[in-house]
Amino acid sequence: MGVKAVLFDLDGTLLKNDRNRMGDEYIKLVYNRFPDTISPEKFEKAMYAAFMAMTKNDGRKINKQVFIETFFPLIDYPADEGMQIFDYVHKHDLPSLEREEEKVPEAKRVVEKVFDLGYQVVIATNPIFPKDVMFERLKWAGVDKFPFKLVTSFENCKFAKPNPQYYKQITDRIDIKPEQCLMIGDEHMDMVAAHVGIRTFFVKSPSSDLRDSTPKPTYRGKLEDIINILEK
């Protein structure tokens, strides 16, 4: 099939996690470490404004910088001190959000088999969180020990899903043509990889939201079905 690299989404694909639940719980977790002079409503609105700003990033700045420039002015808090709080939360508090029921039993086996077959492997999860968050959540999925070619995060991306340029950035970074890549995910924002020439594999999850405008997936099936396709 000419594929050299396999890109995996995380939420709804390697984890059964609902990305909206994760976002809400993450915001509350971080807020608990900030001064209570900031109202929870103001903090939440600022976080979602920063998430939206990264989603709309036009590529002139890395997502981390967009986050900092959007979020901290909205809560009127020093960025340097604030980022230290985020770092503390990621190291000490974030593990509390792990949910045993959100594990995908076959995730580790599937990822391991893709490596064994000789493919380059990328974790193409929406890069609106820091790398510490991404790797902690890869641990929850049981796949944190693999030598991924790239794990996208807000430190290394200038675009975010569902912007097709996010996927073009990945293929440029790993130096593999889009048509030689396969994106595996459960949502519209994963299937739009087709707009830059990447083949797609749709894995249905409770939060799947394919739309009329969603490019038709190249393949559909369960996560483990990807092995048969790649072996052929």
Side-chain angles (χ1 to χ4, degrees):
M1 61 187 296
V3 169
K4 293 184 178 180
V6 178
L7 286 54
F8 284 99
D9 174 48
L10 187 55
D11 295 304
T13 304
L14 296 181
L15 279 174
K16 294 178 183 177
N17 177 58
D18 181 321
R19 60 183 172 83
N20 294 319
R21 181 199 67 79
M22 169 62 189
D24 290 343
E25 292 191 359
Y26 174 80
I27 290 171
K28 292 176 182 177
L29 194 71
V30 177
Y31 174 75
N32 289 335
R33 294 292 181 181
F34 274 80
D36 58 13
T37 51
I38 305 170
S39 73
E41 295 79 14
K42 184 177 184 178
F43 192 89
E44 181 178 3
K45 287 182 180 179
M47 283 291 290
Y48 277 111
F51 288 157
M52 183 59 65
M54 288 185 283
T55 298
K56 295 181 177 180
N57 191 0
D58 61 8
R60 286 181 288 183
K61 300 176 181 178
I62 62 170
N63 287 345
K64 179 179 180 179
Q65 193 62 35
V66 172
F67 175 85
I68 290 172
E69 292 177 2
T70 304
F71 176 71
F72 291 106
L74 290 174
I75 63 169
D76 192 25
Y77 198 84
D80 289 346
E81 292 182 26
M83 290 306 292
Q84 290 178 14
I85 294 175
F86 276 94
D87 289 343
Y88 182 91
V89 171
H90 299 156
K91 290 180 173 63
H92 301 281
D93 301 336
L94 188 61
S96 68
L97 297 187
E98 181 179 7
R99 301 287 183 270
E100 185 67 29
E101 65 271 17
E102 293 181 346
K103 294 184 182 299
V104 175
E106 65 272 24
K108 182 178 180 180
R109 177 175 56 82
V110 170
V111 172
E112 183 174 37
K113 183 62 176 179
V114 174
F115 272 102
D116 289 345
L117 290 171
Y119 293 95
Q120 301 280 2
V121 184
V122 172
I123 296 297
T125 186
N126 208 7
I128 59 174
F129 291 103
K131 62 181 180 180
D132 287 346
V133 175
M134 303 307 194
F135 279 96
E136 175 63 28
R137 301 183 67 239
L138 288 176
K139 186 185 301 182
W140 303 349
V143 298
D144 56 307
K145 302 301 183 183
F146 292 104
F148 297 108
K149 185 73 173 179
L150 175 68
V151 176
T152 60
S153 68
F154 81 178
E155 294 97 340
N156 61 22
C157 288
K158 293 183 177 181
F159 300 99
K161 298 179 182 181
N163 189 335
Q165 288 303 310
Y166 162 72
Y167 295 99
K168 184 62 169 63
Q169 181 178 244
I170 290 175
T171 61
D172 289 345
R173 187 78 56 84
I174 64 176
D175 195 26
I176 294 178
K177 295 177 181 179
E179 57 268 26
Q180 295 175 313
C181 296
L182 177 66
M183 175 66 198
I184 304 169
D186 70 310
E187 295 186 87
H188 167 80
M189 64 175 62
D190 303 315
M191 299 301 101
V192 298
H195 287 312
V196 298
I198 295 175
R199 289 178 245 191
T200 56
F201 185 98
F202 175 67
V203 179
K204 186 175 176 57
S205 78
S207 58
S208 293
D209 68 338
L210 297 190
R211 309 165 189 175
D212 291 341
S213 61
T214 304
K216 184 179 179 181
T218 313
Y219 308 97
R220 293 172 178 259
K222 297 179 180 179
L223 184 62
E224 57 266 37
D225 293 337
I226 193 62
I227 300 304
N228 291 331
I229 292 173
L230 292 174
E231 286 181 328
K232 293 178 181 178

